[in-house]
Amino acid sequence: MRSRRVVVAVVVVAAALLAVAAALAVRSRDHDRWGPHQAGPAPKRSGPLPVAPSATPIKHVIFIIKENRTYDNLFGLFPKGDGASTGLTKDGRRITLLPLLDKQTDLQHNYNDNVAAVDGGKMDGFSAIPYKAGQHTLLAYTTAQPGQLPDYWGWAKRFTLGDRMFSSVNSSSFPNHLYTVAAQSAGIIDGPNYRTSWWGCDGPPGITAPLLSPDGKVGEKRKSVCLDIPSTAGDINNRPRSHVSWSSYGASPGELGYGWVALDAIKPVRERADWPKHAFPWEWFTSDIKQGSLASVTWMTPDFNDSDHPGGPSLCDGENWTARLVNSVMRSPLWSSTAIVIVWDDFGGFYDHVDPPRVDRFGLGPRVPMLVISPWAKKGVDHTVYDFTSVLKFVGENFGLPNLTEREKNANSLRSALQFRKPLKPWVAPIRDCPDFPYQQQQPPPKNIHD
């Protein structure tokens, strides 16, 4: 009888060990599938892409979307722009904007925080926004000092700085990134229920994002982040004989920042068999430029560490990342026919003093900086009101594509920031040695990351 019990016990233990091994195997497979993928070596291209007919000398538009800064946060003290050196708080004080930190805590910046910050146009609610650990702070009230951002300010001095570019949605990253590719967010008003490593059609099952109800409530209904909506890239796909081409460069699947590759969430684009022919790791960009391979329209988003996003990344590192990309174009023959547009996707919780225009129930959101870097840029500060759809509108005008939405149709075209009389000279931005000091975001891991 005793030997029988021993046999049974051995069988039970063996079964338990097999179950643990199976669970570990599943976890390992899930990690391999949903963990960060590594970018491979940049490929050798077969040659330059066909050059499409265009309405202007610009044959290539590069749209770089960075993270979480307002105009006053980066350019509040820039000469001749509509910036601010002080800000209003909810309790009626006017305080001096503090020097901008290279690294700082991440502020809350979802739809509700946005509405609270704007406060019906008073622009005094930023002091009520906590950082992500829940405590209140005045770190929203900061601005870059002269000399702190030599490349961003250097481009602003030599090319175009827009001081009336507004985020498209008065909310966080995901809906705003959708506007950069589709001129709409399909009703989505905030970030998905997953970190920024997967926000699209190829992510884990069950990822959804909240919708904005007609009465302004958030989250009563949600929808999948794989969206069946038109986009500029989709229109280009449907016109193969036009020679208009597109590319998307960004973080690799599963890497923090991959969620900002917005075309991954556009089902008619992402689920085509030719997706790998258009979507690449950002690390391949400079190699492609050296080979003369640049699409008519290129979307570029960073990995998290190079994004300018608060909560760990260094602004200096992010500026260097941007400078290397821009410098690679300026050093190439492609410079003469290229316009580079740099924006920041949302306000990130930072102060801005300009009340955003109301064009529909989704926006506009607070101001963000815009740089237009091109031989055909209109040098100086541009006061024209834009949002992210303004870039798509110019792309459509330039390459013969239709407006995607009423928002795009009614937006001012980026054409207003350009001139075609005298080309501007290139300026190779300096790459700096960045301060190296440890930083750790003090916050619990949130269920819904609105970054």
Side-chain angles (χ1 to χ4, degrees), residues 18 22 30 60 68 94 145 151-153 204 213 242 256 289-290 308 315 332 340 342 347 367 423:
L18 286 172
D30 284 348
H60 311 279
N68 292 38
R94 179 168 290 280
Q145 304 300 297
D151 298 345
Y152 293 152
W153 281 40
S213 68
S242 69
L256 283 179
I289 293 299
K290 288 177 182 177
D308 299 346
L315 260 176
S332 81
I340 302 169
I342 304 174
F347 82 126
R367 282 192 311 171

Side-chain angles (χ1 to χ4, degrees), residues 174-175 177-179 181-188 223 225-235 238 262-263 265-270 404-405:
F174 186 55
H177 277 271
L178 291 172
Y179 268 82
V181 299
Q184 62 161 305
S185 66
I188 289 171
K223 68 166 32 177
V225 294
C226 189
L227 305 168
D228 191 0
I229 57 175
S231 64
T232 297
D235 275 353
N238 294 331
L263 286 166
I266 308 299
K267 186 174 183 178
V269 174
R270 180 60 182 85
L404 294 167
T405 62

Side-chain angles (χ1 to χ4, degrees), residues 72-87:
D72 282 343
N73 184 244
L74 296 189
F75 291 96
L77 302 181
F78 188 84
K80 298 184 180 179
D82 184 8
S85 59
T86 62

Side-chain angles (χ1 to χ4, degrees), residues 341-358:
V341 184
I342 304 174
V343 299
W344 285 255
D345 69 339
D346 67 57
F347 82 126
F350 288 106
Y351 179 77
D352 195 84
H353 77 279
V354 175
D355 181 20
R358 276 69 165 173

Side-chain angles (χ1 to χ4, degrees), residues 1-19:
M1 179 67 82
R2 182 163 176 254
S3 63
R4 197 169 167 190
R5 284 198 299 269
V6 170
V7 170
V8 170
V10 169
V11 169
V12 170
V13 171
L17 290 173
L18 286 172

